[in-house]
Amino acid sequence: MDAPPLRVSRPVSACSRCRSAKIKCDGKLPACTACRKSGRADECFSANDQFAKGKERSYVASLESHVERLQKEIAQAKVRNNSVNMLGPHVWRSKSSDASMGGIGRTRRKEASDVDDLLADFGFLSVNATARDFHGFTQEVSFARLVLSTSSNEEMPQLSSANLPSREAAHRIVEHYYKHLFLVYPILSEVALYGSLDAVYQQGGSFATQMDHWNLRMVLAIALASLSRSKGDSQYQDAVRHVSAALEHVEAVFQPGSVLGIRAILLLVHYALLDPSHFRSWYLIGVASRAMVDLGLHQDPPEELRLKDSQLQLRRCLFYCVYVLDRAISISNVRAFSFTDDSASVSSSSESISVSSSTTLADQTSIRSTNAVTQTLKFWQIQSTWYQALLQSNREAVKQPWQTRSNSLHDMLAWYEALPTSIANPLRNVLRCEMLFGSILLISPPQKAGDVCKVCRYGQALLFEYAVEYVETMQIICESGHGFPFCTSLDILRVSYTARSFLDILQESFDYISLSTIPEPPLSPPCEGRPPPLPIAAAEPKLDRAIAGVQRMINVMNLLEGRFGNAANFGNLRADGASALQNLHTRGSRPSWDPLHGTSYISSLGSLSFQPLEYYRG
């Protein structure tokens, strides 16, 4: 099955032949209906040299041609199915007939797989963002419905009421959004949101646009979903009600040729991170990324355009949100990015990225938000660099992969230690978890089928220490009323990956846990820099910390599962964690002999106290 063309151009109203004959052209590819019926399909191309033959004139028209092809294949499959059913259930079949029936079954499975692949790839396909007049457009097929059909997990429940809260209650919910969630994903500025809030609540919303209703409903849903402590509680149900009400306006707000349309999609991406039962964030960020690239938001406009400061800030802020969300979602799912760093050229300084569309909002909240935005963008740029170099590159293997990882670990640690004091807890703990998970993924990257992950002893020590710190910090976040709103469904993936790496280290490297010695880092050329430092906590008794780490890991999994629903891997991880605890307690009952000091490491180091945030510099 041929894939729809991914090239993007401006749509034209008619091909050259239909234009000269002054007849209606539906713009289908590879030839319009009029040219195909007249036998002149080879002559069907645009009259304008700018749109040469072979370039797409309408992305939706291309999709419709593929839908027609699929419909024909489905009809043929139904005919084959009816012919097979006519044989009856008890008809005798020879071996040759069984083989033919097996071929038919394989054909059906292949057809179903092709349909699934086509739908699954919609997150990667280019959306013709410059198209505002799709030819042959019908009510049954639209950009909004296409996005929702490919990104939905479960249908939204039919709940009783979707009334708006009182204006005072809405203000309190919006304040929570700007105090916590806006610091990480500044999708909607205060000016835009409060303008929508005023329009909806004044005079019964008679002057409110559909975009105003969408903005307010989605922000209320995001804030309430972040306050939910368990799936199905009152906050979660209220959030679902607001999303259901917002989806009534989706046809009007999901406009791929509009900057505001991309912002509307990003709000749904943010909600999808908090409600994975209903939406897939991976597909939604893919659509937003392609629409962003098609509009050119990944490049700063030339100076000749002389855009207003507010327009330029909006472009850069939306690029920042798409970039951070795409990197966070892709790395957590261990998948490819929607676009590479080399293709983007947008200024990332604190002066160029503003979280507000108005220069008058210079209060402490805006300053704090700008600092968080700038620092978070720096971190994901560091992560994106090594992720593309080590895991998303088709070039030859890196000659010194450990040194490349070591330099990246240094960069992430230096970034965290240089965070400004204006970024306080709980956001600082959230960023610390991001740094620790990135370090764990960097040390022990996912392996392809058949590959064996080889981590040196010093890398295993780093992996153990980072995993212990990660689950400790995650427990603080999950148990904190101020930190839990920052948790998303991505934390389920990160905790699963960290837990599996941690349990593997406990099983394979118990000698590091049982001894107080610290392994030597691998040798590297002097010009390449120092090895990544171990936390000072590495000198503490490791058996007790390993037991506490497993217990915290199980507790974090329980908290996240209660909030976001059942996780696929948590059941096996909990069972393996219980087995690891039993093994650690069994070994801990025996004195562990330190060959260097001749004493049990528990008795010799039990009275020492260290700061877990400090590191050996070597």
Side-chain angles (χ1 to χ4, degrees):
M1 183 183 298
D2 297 332
L6 300 182
R7 290 169 294 183
V8 178
S9 62
R10 291 182 180 274
V12 295
S13 58
C15 67
S16 59
R17 183 175 174 276
C18 293
R19 186 189 296 270
S20 60
K22 295 184 179 181
I23 60 177
K24 185 177 180 180
C25 179
D26 56 13
K28 290 188 177 181
L29 295 179
C32 69
T33 303
C35 292
R36 189 170 63 252
K37 288 184 178 180
S38 61
R40 298 186 179 182
D42 296 337
E43 303 176 10
C44 182
F45 60 92
S46 175
N48 192 337
D49 293 338
Q50 181 181 357
F51 307 103
K53 179 181 178 181
K55 287 194 174 183
E56 83 173 2
R57 294 191 298 272
S58 172
Y59 182 74
V60 172
S62 173
L63 288 179
E64 287 180 343
S65 65
H66 283 268
V67 170
E68 290 180 0
R69 184 182 304 176
L70 285 174
Q71 289 175 343
K72 291 180 181 179
E73 293 183 2
I74 292 174
Q76 295 174 359
K78 289 181 178 179
V79 171
R80 289 195 299 268
N81 186 32
N82 293 334
S83 63
V84 172
N85 292 336
M86 291 176 62
L87 297 175
H90 304 294
V91 67
W92 176 84
R93 296 185 178 92
S94 63
K95 292 183 178 180
S96 60
S97 66
D98 288 339
S100 64
M101 292 300 293
I104 292 175
R106 286 191 295 272
T107 302
R108 292 175 183 166
R109 290 192 294 270
K110 179 64 168 58
E111 291 170 352
S113 176
D114 290 339
V115 175
D116 291 340
D117 291 341
L118 178 62
L119 293 176
D121 288 342
F122 280 162
F124 294 103
L125 294 181
S126 172
V127 178
N128 194 349
T130 59
R132 291 181 175 84
D133 183 19
F134 294 127
H135 297 283
F137 215 73
T138 61
Q139 186 177 1
E140 287 74 17
V141 179
S142 68
F143 174 76
R145 297 192 182 198
L146 181 64
V147 171
L148 292 179
S149 63
T150 56
S151 62
S152 297
N153 272 329
E154 301 175 0
E155 292 185 4
M156 298 296 292
Q158 300 296 327
L159 299 177
S160 57
S161 175
N163 294 330
L164 285 168
S166 65
R167 184 160 185 162
E168 292 75 14
H171 267 287
R172 289 194 296 270
I173 298 174
V174 168
E175 287 175 0
H176 167 78
Y177 172 82
Y178 280 111
K179 186 177 180 180
H180 296 87
L181 311 174
F182 185 76
L183 299 177
V184 183
Y185 305 122
I187 300 172
L188 191 61
S189 69
E190 292 172 285
V191 171
L193 179 55
Y194 281 109
S196 296
L197 188 146
D198 290 338
V200 170
Y201 278 94
Q202 286 180 357
Q203 298 183 8
S206 57
F207 297 102
T209 64
Q210 296 197 68
M211 185 65 75
D212 291 329
H213 287 284
W214 173 268
N215 290 340
L216 181 58
R217 290 285 191 176
M218 290 305 302
V219 168
L220 293 177
I222 292 170
L224 289 171
S226 70
L227 291 171
S228 172
R229 301 293 296 187
S230 62
K231 184 179 178 181
D233 60 12
S234 59
Q235 288 90 348
Y236 176 80
Q237 292 182 8
D238 289 341
V240 172
R241 288 189 180 96
H242 286 300
V243 172
S244 299
L247 291 178
E248 297 176 1
H249 310 282
V250 69
E251 295 285 351
V253 300
F254 273 21
Q255 299 295 332
S258 167
V259 173
L260 299 183
I262 299 176
R263 189 176 68 183
I265 298 174
L266 288 177
L267 288 174
L268 187 58
V269 175
H270 194 177
Y271 178 78
L273 295 178
L274 301 170
D275 188 8
S277 300
H278 292 112
F279 297 100
R280 302 185 185 100
S281 58
W282 165 252
Y283 294 91
L284 288 169
I285 194 58
V287 173
S289 298
R290 292 311 308 161
M292 181 269 298
V293 171
D294 290 343
L295 283 181
L297 302 185
H298 64 305
Q299 299 280 343
D300 271 340
E303 295 182 359
E304 303 84 66
L305 291 181
R306 296 181 179 179
L307 295 179
K308 296 180 180 179
D309 290 342
S310 60
Q311 294 175 327
L312 188 59
Q313 290 172 4
L314 178 60
R315 287 172 57 98
R316 288 171 174 171
C317 192
L318 288 181
F319 168 78
Y320 158 81
C321 293
V322 173
Y323 183 89
V324 171
L325 284 167
D326 180 70
R327 269 44 182 174
I329 294 173
S330 299
I331 291 179
S332 298
N333 286 275
V334 196
R335 293 185 176 182
F337 296 150
S338 299
F339 57 96
T340 63
D341 289 349
D342 295 336
S343 65
S345 177
V346 178
S347 177
S348 59
S349 63
S350 58
E351 294 79 10
S352 61
I353 298 180
S354 175
V355 298
S356 174
S357 60
S358 172
T359 57
T360 61
L361 293 177
D363 55 8
Q364 293 184 354
T365 301
S366 297
I367 295 174
R368 196 165 56 246
S369 302
T370 302
N371 288 336
V373 166
T374 306
Q375 295 301 323
T376 306
L377 180 58
K378 288 180 180 178
F379 170 74
W380 287 111
Q381 287 172 338
I382 297 172
Q383 285 251 72
S384 183
T385 300
W386 69 256
Y387 190 85
Q388 290 178 107
L390 296 177
L391 302 179
Q392 196 180 327
S393 177
N394 294 325
R395 58 189 174 187
E396 296 181 358
V398 181
K399 294 182 180 180
Q400 294 182 345
W402 171 250
Q403 193 58 49
T404 301
R405 293 185 171 91
S406 177
N407 293 336
S408 300
L409 289 172
H410 271 292
D411 292 340
M412 287 191 289
L413 179 60
W415 163 83
Y416 178 75
E417 293 180 340
L419 286 178
T421 56
S422 60
I423 300 179
N425 289 329
L427 182 58
R428 183 175 289 269
N429 279 336
V430 173
L431 296 179
R432 180 187 176 195
C433 274
E434 298 279 11
M435 182 269 294
L436 291 171
F437 174 74
S439 302
I440 293 169
L441 185 63
L442 182 58
I443 298 172
S444 179
Q447 302 297 308
K448 297 180 180 179
D451 293 347
V452 178
C453 180
K454 297 181 180 180
V455 181
C456 64
R457 289 179 57 82
Y458 191 79
Q460 292 175 346
L462 285 172
L463 192 59
F464 174 86
E465 300 299 336
Y466 290 155
V468 169
E469 283 195 27
Y470 177 82
V471 296
E472 178 183 357
T473 309
M474 274 301 302
Q475 182 174 7
I476 294 174
I477 294 174
C478 292
E479 293 180 346
S480 170
H482 297 289
F484 200 62
F486 288 100
C487 293
T488 67
S489 57
L490 299 181
D491 291 310
I492 294 179
L493 302 174
R494 296 166 182 163
V495 169
S496 296
Y497 192 93
T498 302
R500 177 49 57 199
S501 301
F502 184 44
L503 293 175
D504 289 344
I505 289 297
L506 294 181
Q507 182 178 2
E508 299 172 4
S509 304
F510 188 79
D511 55 345
Y512 168 74
I513 302 172
S514 60
L515 299 177
S516 62
T517 56
I518 298 176
E520 293 292 331
L523 297 177
S524 60
C527 60
E528 296 294 340
R530 298 178 180 179
L534 275 169
I536 289 182
E540 294 183 0
K542 303 178 186 65
L543 183 60
D544 294 341
R545 296 173 58 237
I547 293 174
V550 175
Q551 293 172 339
R552 291 190 180 104
M553 178 193 72
I554 295 175
N555 188 29
V556 168
M557 286 191 292
N558 292 335
L559 292 172
L560 290 177
E561 195 169 44
R563 166 60 186 87
F564 298 104
N566 295 331
N569 299 327
F570 278 5
N572 294 332
L573 289 172
R574 269 193 292 262
D576 294 343
S579 177
L581 277 178
Q582 183 177 3
N583 187 26
L584 290 171
H585 283 296
T586 301
R587 297 193 181 191
S589 61
R590 310 169 190 168
S592 297
W593 185 261
D594 188 335
L596 295 180
H597 302 87
T599 59
S600 170
Y601 76 92
I602 295 179
S603 60
S604 62
L605 296 178
S607 60
L608 298 180
S609 176
F610 299 92
Q611 296 295 326
L613 287 179
E614 296 181 2
Y615 288 82
Y616 285 118
R617 291 299 174 183

